[in-house]
Amino acid sequence: MTADVVVIGAGASGLMAALTAAEQGASVILAEKNRKAGRKLRITGKGRCNLTNDCDVKEVLAQIPGDGRFLYSSLTAFPPTAVMQFFRENGLELKTERGRRVFPCSDNANDVADLLESICRRRGVRMLCSRVTGITVQDGAVQSVLTDTGKISCRSCIVCTGGLSYPLTGSTGDGYRFAESVGHTLTPPRPSLVPLICRETCCERMQGLSLRNVELRVYEDEKLHCREQGEMLFTHFGVSGPLVLSASARMRRFGASSYRLEIDMKPALDEKTLDRRLLRDFEKYQNRILSNALTDLLPHAMIPEVIAAAGASPDLPVHSLTREMRQRLIQTIKAFPLTVIGPRPVEEAIVTAGGIRTKEIDPRSMQSRRTEGLFFAGEVLDLDAYTGGYNLQIAWSTGRMAGKSAAQYAQRHFTETE
């Protein structure tokens, strides 16, 4: 079996790379070990697929905590506007929601994956359901790709195998092994956009409680690191939900730094306003005990935890509450404390941080600086971003760049050897 270009992995970057290489006139084989292409893509964004963000290149780069400069060429060549135009021109209707997040109007991630697979087939990409076991290199250049069903001779190869997150979708670190086998080095993979484990046992007692319109503040070594408003969730191990996942991407020094969280249950109220609100509630429920007088202000499951964190007694009659006790309650409601032990395993993360070091990749082509004809795209690289569609934008831009460059390399190589 032969091809100009072999793409390993039919995820977001792999599908984009394959259809782009075929668009350039290259013969392309897309090797995927799963029976269905785009398995992780089909579940992204809770199955809705936040496929990009309606912003400019500068704003995308600002959402990348690592080596964002590496992406300047690929993002400029295929920015969010071009991504949206690509999908619309191919029949996918899009909509823009809060935070300029772009989704298919159908709210169905399968429509995105199916469309990309359909374009691949229309452009002549051969879809091979096979597990890649290695890449052979001779005289510093790619010669073939080895699979469990045989060898594929090729002029160039694009590794789009993803990271380590969601291993059931096929992201099991194969690309890291391929890269290391030809001399590349890795920034150790670690979880990003991941739930957090907390020391406090109150999280387990509040398991399943979802908070909305709260502010989450993250402190790194006692210094305010970031803050954001939105939704979060208590779990048996700690906390999760959109606010927590977003915060985790900014917590990049686990082991070297300590982290703690504060939850502001009423971010719209300053302490004086909250005090007036408490006084009104306590007047309304003046014959009740404290645990039964906060029902208008806090979720039921959180009332005993807030009272305990404030050092008060749940059985204290409201009319016996001192001003000092009330002040401690206010401070706790405005800054409910949690201590972060660490992130959940990378297998539970939405994306993998770390991966193939970008200094070993040419940013203008996505080609390896170690091996000619070898290209990389997507999450296998040491690139990750915050939430909002930016990680898929990285996949589209690097996949597009790698597909075009790999096809041009293969055609140039063919001319030179004929």
Side-chain angles (χ1 to χ4, degrees), residues 233-295:
L233 173 74
F234 287 101
T235 71
H236 66 283
F237 55 77
V239 287
S240 186
L243 270 184
V244 173
L245 300 181
S246 180
S248 73
R250 293 167 166 83
M251 302 163 72
R252 306 180 76 82
R253 291 172 51 80
F254 284 113
S257 297
S258 62
Y259 292 97
R260 66 179 180 86
L261 309 175
E262 287 181 352
I263 306 170
D264 184 347
M265 303 293 296
K266 299 295 176 182
L269 306 179
D270 60 25
E271 289 195 6
K272 287 184 178 180
T273 307
L274 181 56
D275 190 24
R276 290 196 295 270
R277 167 70 191 274
L278 271 178
L279 287 170
R280 286 200 305 271
D281 284 356
F282 290 164
E283 184 178 358
K284 177 180 177 182
Y285 299 121
Q286 58 184 304
N287 295 321
R288 293 188 180 185
I289 59 175
L290 182 57
S291 60
N292 292 332
L294 295 172
T295 51

Side-chain angles (χ1 to χ4, degrees), residues 169-201:
T169 65
S171 299
T172 53
D174 292 344
Y176 301 147
R177 292 188 286 275
F178 302 152
E180 288 182 312
S181 73
V182 295
H184 281 280
T185 53
L186 303 180
T187 299
R190 62 189 186 280
S192 185
L193 304 182
V194 66
L196 299 172
I197 304 168
C198 295
R199 178 175 297 144
E200 289 78 6
T201 56

Side-chain angles (χ1 to χ4, degrees), residues 71-140:
L71 288 165
Y72 183 80
S73 294
S74 57
L75 282 171
T76 301
F78 199 49
T81 52
V83 169
M84 291 185 284
Q85 182 181 354
F86 167 85
F87 281 108
R88 284 179 173 132
E89 287 180 348
N90 283 283
L92 187 69
E93 294 184 11
L94 305 178
K95 61 181 178 179
T96 303
E97 297 187 356
R98 180 179 57 85
R100 296 178 299 186
R101 300 173 187 226
V102 179
F103 294 87
C105 287
S106 64
D107 284 328
N108 191 338
N110 287 307
D111 292 346
V112 179
D114 289 343
L115 175 63
L116 292 169
E117 185 176 3
S118 174
I119 297 171
C120 281
R121 293 187 185 280
R122 287 203 309 269
R123 293 183 180 174
V125 174
R126 287 174 282 172
M127 312 289 281
L128 177 66
C129 182
S130 187
R131 181 176 178 271
V132 173
T133 57
I135 299 169
T136 59
V137 174
Q138 186 176 339
D139 298 327

Side-chain angles (χ1 to χ4, degrees), residues 334-345:
K334 294 291 289 180
F336 186 82
L338 292 171
T339 309
V340 178
I341 295 175
R344 290 290 286 179

